[in-house]
Amino acid sequence: MADDPERRQASSLQAITLAQPDAWCIAKGYRPLINTKWAPPTDMQGKMIAIHTIERPGKAQLRQLERRAAQMRDAVGVDMPPLHRLPYDSVVAVVRCSGVFTEPPEDFELGRWFQGPYGWVLDDPVPILPPLPCRGAKELWTVPQKLLPSLRKHYQNGKQHLRRQAERLRNLTEEQEERLALQDPKTH
């Protein structure tokens, strides 16, 4: 099998470069959709894609991004790190492209992010820990082969982080349920 498409897919990864704080919000799972002016390749649906951040902005662009960050804080309802602390010119997450919209979707969570003309739905975000520095490009580009082994390692670190986070949340929820049961007068 000289030309195995699955092997080819596993040995390459497409990436898209985004501004901060958008990339941070995607890596954290707060933003499930990105907008582009161009249609993704027809075979992109269901494939993994790396989320890469722009290079560190200059002062004028940083002011513009600060305004964007304020909008994002309101949209996602969480505190985010100051822009100067976010990673730049790095791969920060790997996500699955699960669909594309050309009109606002009815689902509120997706629809509130849609600006068009193309809205890419992103699922299963895994943060790259620590972020992997590398040069990006416009639109879709291929992550250099020499970075894939490091990216796989950083991806596994991100998956472990998500598992630990989920376990802490489960434990916290169980503790809260126990406390509520102790406080419930019906159980006394």
Side-chain angles (χ1 to χ4, degrees):
M1 282 192 193
D3 189 34
D4 181 359
E6 284 186 27
R7 172 171 251 160
R8 216 176 36 243
Q9 180 183 349
S11 66
S12 69
L13 179 67
Q14 295 290 295
I16 188 167
T17 300
L18 303 172
Q20 289 288 23
D22 298 78
W24 182 87
C25 287
I26 290 166
K28 294 292 187 180
Y30 297 131
R31 183 174 180 163
L33 187 136
I34 59 171
N35 296 284
T36 62
K37 294 179 181 174
W38 42 275
T42 54
D43 66 345
M44 181 56 66
Q45 189 163 330
K47 290 190 178 173
M48 302 304 281
I49 182 171
I51 302 298
H52 179 267
T53 61
I54 62 170
E55 60 187 24
R56 189 164 295 282
K59 286 183 181 181
Q61 188 181 15
L62 189 59
R63 281 191 296 275
Q64 188 177 25
L65 291 175
E66 286 290 352
R67 286 191 295 277
R68 177 82 178 127
Q71 293 170 339
M72 295 291 280
R73 280 185 203 98
D74 292 343
V76 298
V78 297
D79 286 333
M80 61 181 71
L83 286 177
H84 68 275
R85 287 200 169 152
L86 294 176
Y88 290 92
D89 220 12
S90 300
V91 175
V92 297
V94 173
V95 297
R96 181 177 312 282
C97 179
S98 63
V100 177
F101 288 100
T102 55
E103 295 180 10
E106 291 181 18
D107 177 281
F108 171 76
E109 187 57 27
L110 295 175
R112 72 185 183 134
W113 295 105
F114 182 83
Q115 295 173 350
Y118 298 95
W120 302 30
V121 180
L122 307 175
D123 289 323
D124 307 324
V126 175
I128 299 302
L129 298 174
L132 185 63
C134 76
R135 300 297 297 172
K138 292 185 184 236
E139 298 189 5
L140 277 178
W141 51 277
T142 302
V143 175
Q145 281 289 319
K146 66 182 182 181
L147 292 179
L148 290 179
S150 294
L151 185 57
R152 284 186 190 101
K153 180 181 175 193
H154 293 237
Y155 177 83
Q156 291 305 318
N157 291 344
K159 286 187 80 142
Q160 288 174 354
H161 171 77
L162 291 176
R163 281 193 289 273
R164 286 191 303 268
Q165 206 173 29
E167 183 62 30
R168 281 193 298 269
L169 185 59
R170 269 192 302 278
N171 291 340
L172 180 61
T173 303
E174 289 171 8
E175 289 173 22
Q176 288 173 332
E177 287 175 1
E178 289 172 13
R179 281 190 213 132
L180 289 174
L182 292 173
Q183 294 173 359
D184 187 357
K186 296 176 194 171
T187 61
H188 294 291

mmCIF file of all heavy atoms in Angstrom, residues 4-43:
data_model
loop_
_atom_site.group_PDB
_atom_site.id
_atom_site.type_symbol
_atom_site.label_atom_id
_atom_site.label_comp_id
_atom_site.label_asym_id
_atom_site.label_seq_id
_atom_site.Cartn_x
_atom_site.Cartn_y
_atom_site.Cartn_z
ATOM 1 N N ASP A 4 -1.540 5.034 1.024
ATOM 2 C CA ASP A 4 -2.595 4.806 2.001
ATOM 3 C C ASP A 4 -3.084 6.148 2.531
ATOM 4 O O ASP A 4 -2.361 6.848 3.237
ATOM 5 C CB ASP A 4 -2.038 3.940 3.137
ATOM 6 C CG ASP A 4 -3.077 3.621 4.193
ATOM 7 O OD1 ASP A 4 -4.220 4.086 4.070
ATOM 8 O OD2 ASP A 4 -2.723 2.896 5.126
ATOM 9 N N PRO A 5 -4.350 6.559 2.219
ATOM 10 C CA PRO A 5 -4.848 7.866 2.648
ATOM 11 C C PRO A 5 -4.869 8.037 4.168
ATOM 12 O O PRO A 5 -4.583 9.105 4.678
ATOM 13 C CB PRO A 5 -6.264 7.954 2.081
ATOM 14 C CG PRO A 5 -6.433 6.805 1.175
ATOM 15 C CD PRO A 5 -5.318 5.841 1.411
ATOM 16 N N GLU A 6 -5.197 6.962 4.928
ATOM 17 C CA GLU A 6 -5.214 7.086 6.389
ATOM 18 C C GLU A 6 -3.820 7.350 6.928
ATOM 19 O O GLU A 6 -3.622 8.152 7.822
ATOM 20 C CB GLU A 6 -5.804 5.827 7.021
ATOM 21 C CG GLU A 6 -7.309 5.782 6.885
ATOM 22 C CD GLU A 6 -7.905 4.613 7.648
ATOM 23 O OE1 GLU A 6 -7.296 4.161 8.638
ATOM 24 O OE2 GLU A 6 -8.973 4.170 7.242
ATOM 25 N N ARG A 7 -2.835 6.654 6.381
ATOM 26 C CA ARG A 7 -1.458 6.874 6.818
ATOM 27 C C ARG A 7 -1.016 8.286 6.463
ATOM 28 O O ARG A 7 -0.356 8.960 7.245
ATOM 29 C CB ARG A 7 -0.539 5.845 6.181
ATOM 30 C CG ARG A 7 0.923 6.136 6.452
ATOM 31 C CD ARG A 7 1.793 5.017 6.021
ATOM 32 N NE ARG A 7 2.245 4.454 7.283
ATOM 33 C CZ ARG A 7 2.715 3.269 7.447
ATOM 34 N NH1 ARG A 7 2.791 2.453 6.453
ATOM 35 N NH2 ARG A 7 3.120 2.857 8.620
ATOM 36 N N ARG A 8 -1.404 8.762 5.276
ATOM 37 C CA ARG A 8 -1.051 10.120 4.857
ATOM 38 C C ARG A 8 -1.675 11.138 5.811
ATOM 39 O O ARG A 8 -1.035 12.086 6.227
ATOM 40 C CB ARG A 8 -1.517 10.339 3.416
ATOM 41 C CG ARG A 8 -0.591 11.190 2.615
ATOM 42 C CD ARG A 8 -0.973 11.347 1.156
ATOM 43 N NE ARG A 8 -2.389 11.421 0.885
ATOM 44 C CZ ARG A 8 -3.054 10.528 0.163
ATOM 45 N NH1 ARG A 8 -2.461 9.491 -0.348
ATOM 46 N NH2 ARG A 8 -4.342 10.685 -0.062
ATOM 47 N N GLN A 9 -2.961 10.929 6.196
ATOM 48 C CA GLN A 9 -3.643 11.850 7.094
ATOM 49 C C GLN A 9 -2.962 11.854 8.464
ATOM 50 O O GLN A 9 -2.799 12.896 9.074
ATOM 51 C CB GLN A 9 -5.106 11.473 7.246
ATOM 52 C CG GLN A 9 -5.852 12.414 8.180
ATOM 53 C CD GLN A 9 -7.293 12.001 8.394
ATOM 54 O OE1 GLN A 9 -7.810 11.143 7.716
ATOM 55 N NE2 GLN A 9 -7.924 12.632 9.352
ATOM 56 N N ALA A 10 -2.555 10.674 8.953
ATOM 57 C CA ALA A 10 -1.923 10.586 10.263
ATOM 58 C C ALA A 10 -0.534 11.212 10.258
ATOM 59 O O ALA A 10 -0.039 11.619 11.288
ATOM 60 C CB ALA A 10 -1.840 9.124 10.700
ATOM 61 N N SER A 11 0.084 11.293 9.098
ATOM 62 C CA SER A 11 1.440 11.836 9.044
ATOM 63 C C SER A 11 1.465 13.311 8.668
ATOM 64 O O SER A 11 2.530 13.877 8.478
ATOM 65 C CB SER A 11 2.292 11.029 8.063
ATOM 66 O OG SER A 11 1.786 11.210 6.752
ATOM 67 N N SER A 12 0.303 13.948 8.540
ATOM 68 C CA SER A 12 0.267 15.385 8.279
ATOM 69 C C SER A 12 -0.910 15.986 9.034
ATOM 70 O O SER A 12 -1.857 15.297 9.391
ATOM 71 C CB SER A 12 0.151 15.673 6.782
ATOM 72 O OG SER A 12 -1.115 15.285 6.306
ATOM 73 N N LEU A 13 -0.810 17.272 9.289
ATOM 74 C CA LEU A 13 -1.860 17.963 10.025
ATOM 75 C C LEU A 13 -1.968 19.371 9.468
ATOM 76 O O LEU A 13 -0.967 20.080 9.351
ATOM 77 C CB LEU A 13 -1.512 18.008 11.520
ATOM 78 C CG LEU A 13 -2.506 18.718 12.431
ATOM 79 C CD1 LEU A 13 -3.830 17.948 12.489
ATOM 80 C CD2 LEU A 13 -1.924 18.865 13.831
ATOM 81 N N GLN A 14 -3.191 19.755 9.138
ATOM 82 C CA GLN A 14 -3.448 21.115 8.679
ATOM 83 C C GLN A 14 -3.593 22.027 9.890
ATOM 84 O O GLN A 14 -3.997 21.589 10.973
ATOM 85 C CB GLN A 14 -4.734 21.159 7.851
ATOM 86 C CG GLN A 14 -4.670 20.374 6.561
ATOM 87 C CD GLN A 14 -3.755 21.046 5.565
ATOM 88 O OE1 GLN A 14 -4.028 22.127 5.104
ATOM 89 N NE2 GLN A 14 -2.647 20.387 5.251
ATOM 90 N N ALA A 15 -3.272 23.295 9.707
ATOM 91 C CA ALA A 15 -3.394 24.281 10.782
ATOM 92 C C ALA A 15 -4.019 25.547 10.216
ATOM 93 O O ALA A 15 -3.972 25.798 9.011
ATOM 94 C CB ALA A 15 -2.021 24.595 11.379
ATOM 95 N N ILE A 16 -4.601 26.333 11.112
ATOM 96 C CA ILE A 16 -5.129 27.637 10.751
ATOM 97 C C ILE A 16 -4.626 28.626 11.797
ATOM 98 O O ILE A 16 -4.593 28.319 12.980
ATOM 99 C CB ILE A 16 -6.674 27.631 10.651
ATOM 100 C CG1 ILE A 16 -7.183 28.946 10.077
ATOM 101 C CG2 ILE A 16 -7.320 27.284 11.974
ATOM 102 C CD1 ILE A 16 -8.643 28.917 9.653
ATOM 103 N N THR A 17 -4.198 29.792 11.343
ATOM 104 C CA THR A 17 -3.668 30.818 12.232
ATOM 105 C C THR A 17 -4.758 31.820 12.569
ATOM 106 O O THR A 17 -5.419 32.346 11.677
ATOM 107 C CB THR A 17 -2.465 31.527 11.577
ATOM 108 O OG1 THR A 17 -1.453 30.538 11.317
ATOM 109 C CG2 THR A 17 -1.892 32.602 12.483
ATOM 110 N N LEU A 18 -4.935 32.067 13.873
ATOM 111 C CA LEU A 18 -5.971 32.970 14.366
ATOM 112 C C LEU A 18 -5.357 33.986 15.328
ATOM 113 O O LEU A 18 -4.316 33.748 15.930
ATOM 114 C CB LEU A 18 -7.048 32.186 15.109
ATOM 115 C CG LEU A 18 -7.743 31.082 14.331
ATOM 116 C CD1 LEU A 18 -8.639 30.272 15.252
ATOM 117 C CD2 LEU A 18 -8.546 31.662 13.180
ATOM 118 N N ALA A 19 -6.064 35.091 15.494
ATOM 119 C CA ALA A 19 -5.631 36.109 16.446
ATOM 120 C C ALA A 19 -5.969 35.659 17.863
ATOM 121 O O ALA A 19 -6.827 34.797 18.071
ATOM 122 C CB ALA A 19 -6.314 37.439 16.138
ATOM 123 N N GLN A 20 -5.292 36.251 18.827
ATOM 124 C CA GLN A 20 -5.681 36.107 20.220
ATOM 125 C C GLN A 20 -6.712 37.189 20.496
ATOM 126 O O GLN A 20 -6.664 38.225 19.854
ATOM 127 C CB GLN A 20 -4.461 36.285 21.150
ATOM 128 C CG GLN A 20 -3.489 35.159 21.098
ATOM 129 C CD GLN A 20 -4.010 33.885 21.782
ATOM 130 O OE1 GLN A 20 -5.218 33.672 21.938
ATOM 131 N NE2 GLN A 20 -3.103 33.024 22.155
ATOM 132 N N PRO A 21 -7.658 37.028 21.329
ATOM 133 C CA PRO A 21 -7.868 35.900 22.233
ATOM 134 C C PRO A 21 -8.717 34.783 21.638
ATOM 135 O O PRO A 21 -9.053 33.841 22.336
ATOM 136 C CB PRO A 21 -8.592 36.543 23.415
ATOM 137 C CG PRO A 21 -9.442 37.591 22.774
ATOM 138 C CD PRO A 21 -8.594 38.127 21.628
ATOM 139 N N ASP A 22 -9.036 34.860 20.346
ATOM 140 C CA ASP A 22 -9.857 33.820 19.722
ATOM 141 C C ASP A 22 -9.238 32.436 19.890
ATOM 142 O O ASP A 22 -9.929 31.483 20.255
ATOM 143 C CB ASP A 22 -10.072 34.115 18.234
ATOM 144 C CG ASP A 22 -10.813 35.416 18.017
ATOM 145 O OD1 ASP A 22 -10.179 36.481 18.133
ATOM 146 O OD2 ASP A 22 -12.018 35.374 17.746
ATOM 147 N N ALA A 23 -7.930 32.340 19.631
ATOM 148 C CA ALA A 23 -7.263 31.044 19.733
ATOM 149 C C ALA A 23 -7.331 30.506 21.163
ATOM 150 O O ALA A 23 -7.552 29.316 21.379
ATOM 151 C CB ALA A 23 -5.816 31.165 19.265
ATOM 152 N N TRP A 24 -7.141 31.397 22.148
ATOM 153 C CA TRP A 24 -7.213 30.994 23.556
ATOM 154 C C TRP A 24 -8.611 30.454 23.869
ATOM 155 O O TRP A 24 -8.750 29.414 24.527
ATOM 156 C CB TRP A 24 -6.873 32.182 24.467
ATOM 157 C CG TRP A 24 -6.883 31.852 25.925
ATOM 158 C CD1 TRP A 24 -5.847 31.344 26.665
ATOM 159 C CD2 TRP A 24 -7.975 31.998 26.839
ATOM 160 N NE1 TRP A 24 -6.232 31.174 27.966
ATOM 161 C CE2 TRP A 24 -7.540 31.562 28.106
ATOM 162 C CE3 TRP A 24 -9.291 32.455 26.707
ATOM 163 C CZ2 TRP A 24 -8.362 31.580 29.234
ATOM 164 C CZ3 TRP A 24 -10.108 32.465 27.829
ATOM 165 C CH2 TRP A 24 -9.640 32.033 29.066
ATOM 166 N N CYS A 25 -9.652 31.154 23.409
ATOM 167 C CA CYS A 25 -11.036 30.730 23.673
ATOM 168 C C CYS A 25 -11.346 29.382 23.030
ATOM 169 O O CYS A 25 -12.048 28.553 23.607
ATOM 170 C CB CYS A 25 -12.022 31.791 23.183
ATOM 171 S SG CYS A 25 -12.040 33.264 24.218
ATOM 172 N N ILE A 26 -10.802 29.129 21.858
ATOM 173 C CA ILE A 26 -10.997 27.836 21.194
ATOM 174 C C ILE A 26 -10.270 26.747 21.966
ATOM 175 O O ILE A 26 -10.826 25.679 22.232
ATOM 176 C CB ILE A 26 -10.521 27.904 19.723
ATOM 177 C CG1 ILE A 26 -11.479 28.794 18.927
ATOM 178 C CG2 ILE A 26 -10.421 26.498 19.115
ATOM 179 C CD1 ILE A 26 -10.953 29.212 17.582
ATOM 180 N N ALA A 27 -9.026 27.013 22.368
ATOM 181 C CA ALA A 27 -8.243 26.023 23.116
ATOM 182 C C ALA A 27 -8.919 25.649 24.429
ATOM 183 O O ALA A 27 -8.858 24.499 24.867
ATOM 184 C CB ALA A 27 -6.835 26.544 23.377
ATOM 185 N N LYS A 28 -9.590 26.602 25.056
ATOM 186 C CA LYS A 28 -10.265 26.353 26.338
ATOM 187 C C LYS A 28 -11.667 25.777 26.156
ATOM 188 O O LYS A 28 -12.323 25.438 27.127
ATOM 189 C CB LYS A 28 -10.366 27.658 27.140
ATOM 190 C CG LYS A 28 -9.038 28.207 27.574
ATOM 191 C CD LYS A 28 -8.408 27.301 28.604
ATOM 192 C CE LYS A 28 -7.148 27.917 29.168
ATOM 193 N NZ LYS A 28 -6.528 27.041 30.166
ATOM 194 N N GLY A 29 -12.135 25.698 24.914
ATOM 195 C CA GLY A 29 -13.466 25.149 24.659
ATOM 196 C C GLY A 29 -14.590 26.152 24.806
ATOM 197 O O GLY A 29 -15.751 25.787 24.812
ATOM 198 N N TYR A 30 -14.266 27.443 24.891
ATOM 199 C CA TYR A 30 -15.289 28.474 25.046
ATOM 200 C C TYR A 30 -15.873 28.928 23.713
ATOM 201 O O TYR A 30 -16.926 29.532 23.683
ATOM 202 C CB TYR A 30 -14.719 29.711 25.762
ATOM 203 C CG TYR A 30 -14.253 29.437 27.158
ATOM 204 C CD1 TYR A 30 -13.005 29.861 27.579
ATOM 205 C CD2 TYR A 30 -15.060 28.769 28.073
ATOM 206 C CE1 TYR A 30 -12.570 29.627 28.874
ATOM 207 C CE2 TYR A 30 -14.636 28.525 29.364
ATOM 208 C CZ TYR A 30 -13.383 28.959 29.754
ATOM 209 O OH TYR A 30 -12.957 28.724 31.029
ATOM 210 N N ARG A 31 -15.156 28.705 22.646
ATOM 211 C CA ARG A 31 -15.614 29.162 21.336
ATOM 212 C C ARG A 31 -15.658 27.978 20.376
ATOM 213 O O ARG A 31 -14.614 27.443 20.004
ATOM 214 C CB ARG A 31 -14.671 30.247 20.802
ATOM 215 C CG ARG A 31 -15.163 30.771 19.490
ATOM 216 C CD ARG A 31 -14.385 31.931 18.980
ATOM 217 N NE ARG A 31 -14.978 32.310 17.720
ATOM 218 C CZ ARG A 31 -14.785 33.432 17.133
ATOM 219 N NH1 ARG A 31 -14.003 34.330 17.686
ATOM 220 N NH2 ARG A 31 -15.356 33.694 15.990
ATOM 221 N N PRO A 32 -16.864 27.578 19.932
ATOM 222 C CA PRO A 32 -16.993 26.384 19.094
ATOM 223 C C PRO A 32 -17.036 26.656 17.589
ATOM 224 O O PRO A 32 -17.335 25.747 16.816
ATOM 225 C CB PRO A 32 -18.321 25.802 19.558
ATOM 226 C CG PRO A 32 -19.137 27.020 19.890
ATOM 227 C CD PRO A 32 -18.156 28.025 20.444
ATOM 228 N N LEU A 33 -16.748 27.875 17.164
ATOM 229 C CA LEU A 33 -16.894 28.196 15.742
ATOM 230 C C LEU A 33 -15.923 29.313 15.361
ATOM 231 O O LEU A 33 -15.709 30.244 16.138
ATOM 232 C CB LEU A 33 -18.331 28.655 15.483
ATOM 233 C CG LEU A 33 -18.740 28.873 14.033
ATOM 234 C CD1 LEU A 33 -20.119 28.263 13.800
ATOM 235 C CD2 LEU A 33 -18.791 30.342 13.702
ATOM 236 N N ILE A 34 -15.327 29.192 14.179
ATOM 237 C CA ILE A 34 -14.520 30.280 13.625
ATOM 238 C C ILE A 34 -15.115 30.682 12.285
ATOM 239 O O ILE A 34 -15.779 29.883 11.627
ATOM 240 C CB ILE A 34 -13.029 29.908 13.448
ATOM 241 C CG1 ILE A 34 -12.856 28.697 12.529
ATOM 242 C CG2 ILE A 34 -12.370 29.707 14.786
ATOM 243 C CD1 ILE A 34 -11.430 28.421 12.137
ATOM 244 N N ASN A 35 -14.865 31.914 11.898
ATOM 245 C CA ASN A 35 -15.363 32.439 10.629
ATOM 246 C C ASN A 35 -14.204 32.669 9.673
ATOM 247 O O ASN A 35 -13.139 33.143 10.087
ATOM 248 C CB ASN A 35 -16.075 33.771 10.866
ATOM 249 C CG ASN A 35 -17.293 33.592 11.731
ATOM 250 O OD1 ASN A 35 -18.318 33.111 11.278
ATOM 251 N ND2 ASN A 35 -17.195 33.967 13.004
ATOM 252 N N THR A 36 -14.416 32.330 8.420
ATOM 253 C CA THR A 36 -13.426 32.622 7.382
ATOM 254 C C THR A 36 -14.147 33.202 6.172
ATOM 255 O O THR A 36 -15.359 33.035 6.024
ATOM 256 C CB THR A 36 -12.648 31.359 6.947
ATOM 257 O OG1 THR A 36 -13.567 30.409 6.391
ATOM 258 C CG2 THR A 36 -11.878 30.738 8.097
ATOM 259 N N LYS A 37 -13.383 33.843 5.321
ATOM 260 C CA LYS A 37 -13.940 34.377 4.075
ATOM 261 C C LYS A 37 -13.867 33.344 2.963
ATOM 262 O O LYS A 37 -14.364 33.582 1.870
ATOM 263 C CB LYS A 37 -13.177 35.643 3.671
ATOM 264 C CG LYS A 37 -13.397 36.775 4.652
ATOM 265 C CD LYS A 37 -12.631 38.013 4.265
ATOM 266 C CE LYS A 37 -12.883 39.095 5.298
ATOM 267 N NZ LYS A 37 -12.088 40.273 5.111
ATOM 268 N N TRP A 38 -13.252 32.226 3.232
ATOM 269 C CA TRP A 38 -13.047 31.184 2.232
ATOM 270 C C TRP A 38 -13.576 29.852 2.754
ATOM 271 O O TRP A 38 -13.584 29.594 3.945
ATOM 272 C CB TRP A 38 -11.564 31.080 1.867
ATOM 273 C CG TRP A 38 -10.663 31.167 3.067
ATOM 274 C CD1 TRP A 38 -10.199 32.307 3.665
ATOM 275 C CD2 TRP A 38 -10.154 30.088 3.834
ATOM 276 N NE1 TRP A 38 -9.433 31.989 4.755
ATOM 277 C CE2 TRP A 38 -9.381 30.636 4.884
ATOM 278 C CE3 TRP A 38 -10.262 28.702 3.746
ATOM 279 C CZ2 TRP A 38 -8.725 29.859 5.827
ATOM 280 C CZ3 TRP A 38 -9.602 27.922 4.691
ATOM 281 C CH2 TRP A 38 -8.845 28.508 5.710
ATOM 282 N N ALA A 39 -14.037 29.048 1.814
ATOM 283 C CA ALA A 39 -14.583 27.736 2.163
ATOM 284 C C ALA A 39 -13.451 26.771 2.493
ATOM 285 O O ALA A 39 -12.405 26.789 1.844
ATOM 286 C CB ALA A 39 -15.404 27.185 0.998
ATOM 287 N N PRO A 40 -13.657 25.935 3.482
ATOM 288 C CA PRO A 40 -12.644 24.912 3.770
ATOM 289 C C PRO A 40 -12.644 23.858 2.667
ATOM 290 O O PRO A 40 -13.632 23.730 1.930
ATOM 291 C CB PRO A 40 -13.111 24.318 5.094
ATOM 292 C CG PRO A 40 -14.574 24.561 5.124
ATOM 293 C CD PRO A 40 -14.797 25.854 4.378
ATOM 294 N N PRO A 41 -11.567 23.106 2.543
ATOM 295 C CA PRO A 41 -11.566 22.012 1.569
ATOM 296 C C PRO A 41 -12.728 21.057 1.863
ATOM 297 O O PRO A 41 -13.117 20.867 3.014
ATOM 298 C CB PRO A 41 -10.230 21.310 1.809
ATOM 299 C CG PRO A 41 -9.378 22.314 2.511
ATOM 300 C CD PRO A 41 -10.312 23.191 3.287
ATOM 301 N N THR A 42 -13.267 20.466 0.828
ATOM 302 C CA THR A 42 -14.442 19.601 0.995
ATOM 303 C C THR A 42 -14.144 18.390 1.877
ATOM 304 O O THR A 42 -15.051 17.869 2.517
ATOM 305 C CB THR A 42 -14.970 19.131 -0.373
ATOM 306 O OG1 THR A 42 -13.897 18.513 -1.084
ATOM 307 C CG2 THR A 42 -15.529 20.286 -1.166
ATOM 308 N N ASP A 43 -12.902 17.952 1.939
ATOM 309 C CA ASP A 43 -12.570 16.781 2.753
ATOM 310 C C ASP A 43 -12.176 17.148 4.190
ATOM 311 O O ASP A 43 -11.755 16.293 4.955
ATOM 312 C CB ASP A 43 -11.457 15.970 2.097
ATOM 313 C CG ASP A 43 -10.135 16.710 2.052
ATOM 314 O OD1 ASP A 43 -10.112 17.943 2.259
ATOM 315 O OD2 ASP A 43 -9.105 16.053 1.808
#
